[in-house]
Amino acid sequence: MLTHRPTPEFPRHLEELYARFPFDRSLADDPISEIRFLAHDPRRAEVAGVFAATLAIGNTTAIRGAIVRLFAIAHGDVGWLVAPGHARERARGLASFRHRWIRGDQLDYLSRVLEEYYRHAPSLEVAFLEGWSTGGFAGGLDALARVLRGEGTSARLGAPPRGYRALFPTPMGPGRSPCKRLTLFVRWMVRDRYPDLGVWRRVPTGELRVPLDQHVHWIAYHLGLTGLRARSWTAVEEVSEALRRIDPLDPVRYDFVLCHTGISGDCPKERDLSVCGPCSVRPDCRLWRGRRASA
Ligand code: SF4
């Protein structure tokens, strides 16, 4: 099978897509819209980011609804979730919470893990950097996943609830998970450019990897940024490297645009001239290969 590659003009086409993109329209639909107001408060931004990213399964409306419900349980202060002194009230409040297959008892355990972690460390950035220093970005995610799974603290906290540890996969596990939710969390924490929060200061933006959800993967595959049809950590690395060649200092700045081009319906994911006509990356799109003259 022929390998699909974007045209040499792809960087300019992608910049056009970025420049024309209606950020404000899509921001309202994105889970980050529910936590951006905390950007001035690094601890609360981090806690909100962990919970929001953990809940980032399914469509964006349902995800935003789940975040709003969680904040209501926390009396509007996400810091309450990780503050000591009200374990029973927290467990009671979360008991009936559900979002897809995520249950309130799992979020309660996550609260307890974070409460314990913050007793001896100021930020999850510390854990990420420890892993990153020896294992690169994947090592940072692996260290983060191990902290969030409660490894090392479960003796004090008791065994986690059913299915809890599976919420935090690692790219270094046998499944080579793309780790979309943890990668998204790190993007929110590290980038200080719109629309992200930028509360971590020591991880270079050039090191970030793209949160490869199904929308980003679809368009990345069809633009030839990866030849892999299935999402995996290898695909994350391929897409991130392709974007890094265009913007070495901030490759992940294109993520929001690529993701919401799919979510919004701007990209129909099929050949439809009425929609694809104005698409600036149409010359690079696999669906239009060999059809430019007739388009
Ligand atoms: S040309 Fe059409 S199918 Fe291809 S990326 Fe653009 S909008 Fe999507």
Side-chain angles (χ1 to χ4, degrees), residues 23-280:
F23 276 91
D24 289 344
R25 175 205 67 183
S26 286
L27 184 72
D29 192 34
D30 194 278
I32 200 174
S33 64
E34 303 297 341
I35 64 172
R36 286 190 81 239
F37 73 99
L38 293 167
H40 68 284
D41 185 335
R43 169 64 62 83
R44 284 182 171 77
E46 184 173 284
V47 172
V50 169
F51 280 96
T54 302
L55 292 168
I57 297 170
N59 72 65
T60 52
T61 304
I63 295 167
R64 285 187 290 106
I67 297 168
V68 169
R69 283 188 285 124
L70 180 66
F71 281 20
I73 291 168
H75 313 290
D77 177 10
V78 74
W80 180 87
L81 290 170
V82 300
H86 52 262
R88 285 191 182 167
E89 187 190 351
R90 184 177 62 205
R92 263 199 313 274
L94 288 167
S96 60
F97 183 94
R98 292 284 185 283
H99 171 63
R100 302 289 296 265
W101 57 85
I102 299 177
R103 305 184 312 272
D105 62 335
Q106 295 169 324
L107 297 186
D108 182 50
Y109 195 84
L110 175 59
S111 298
R112 292 161 61 201
V113 166
L114 290 172
E115 180 187 333
E116 184 72 21
Y117 177 80
Y118 288 133
R119 285 187 209 279
H120 61 85
S123 163
L124 290 167
E125 185 178 24
V126 173
F128 180 87
L129 286 168
E130 278 175 15
W132 182 56
S133 66
T134 54
F137 195 88
L141 286 191
D142 183 63
L144 210 47
R146 281 188 281 111
V147 166
L148 297 176
R149 287 197 297 256
E151 291 182 14
T153 54
S154 51
R156 284 187 293 284
L157 300 180
R162 175 174 47 87
Y164 175 78
R165 287 191 168 142
L167 294 177
F168 307 105
T170 164
M172 300 177 95
R176 301 278 288 159
S177 168
C179 294
K180 179 267 249 187
R181 291 175 296 148
L182 267 191
T183 310
L184 180 63
F185 166 69
V186 175
R187 191 202 92 193
W188 288 345
M189 295 301 106
V190 171
R191 291 190 77 249
D192 62 0
R193 293 171 68 184
Y194 188 86
D196 296 309
L197 303 178
V199 295
W200 289 6
R201 301 290 180 186
R202 290 186 283 166
V203 181
T205 52
E207 287 293 319
L208 289 174
R209 302 302 195 267
V210 70
L212 199 65
D213 72 359
Q214 57 175 329
H215 299 288
V216 177
H217 179 250
W218 190 95
I219 198 164
Y221 174 76
H222 284 81
L223 296 178
L225 307 185
T226 176
L228 299 173
R229 277 187 171 276
R231 292 190 299 137
S232 65
W233 187 253
T234 306
V236 170
E237 290 287 18
E238 285 188 9
V239 176
S240 302
E241 182 54 31
L243 297 177
R244 195 173 294 110
R245 282 196 290 273
I246 299 170
D247 189 339
L249 295 180
D250 192 11
V252 172
R253 79 184 174 100
Y254 303 107
D255 171 56
F256 190 89
V257 171
L258 294 175
C259 180
H260 280 278
T261 294
I263 290 174
S264 65
D266 289 352
C267 170
K269 298 181 178 164
E270 61 183 16
R271 208 167 42 244
D272 178 344
L273 188 57
S274 66
V275 185
C276 298
C279 175
S280 59

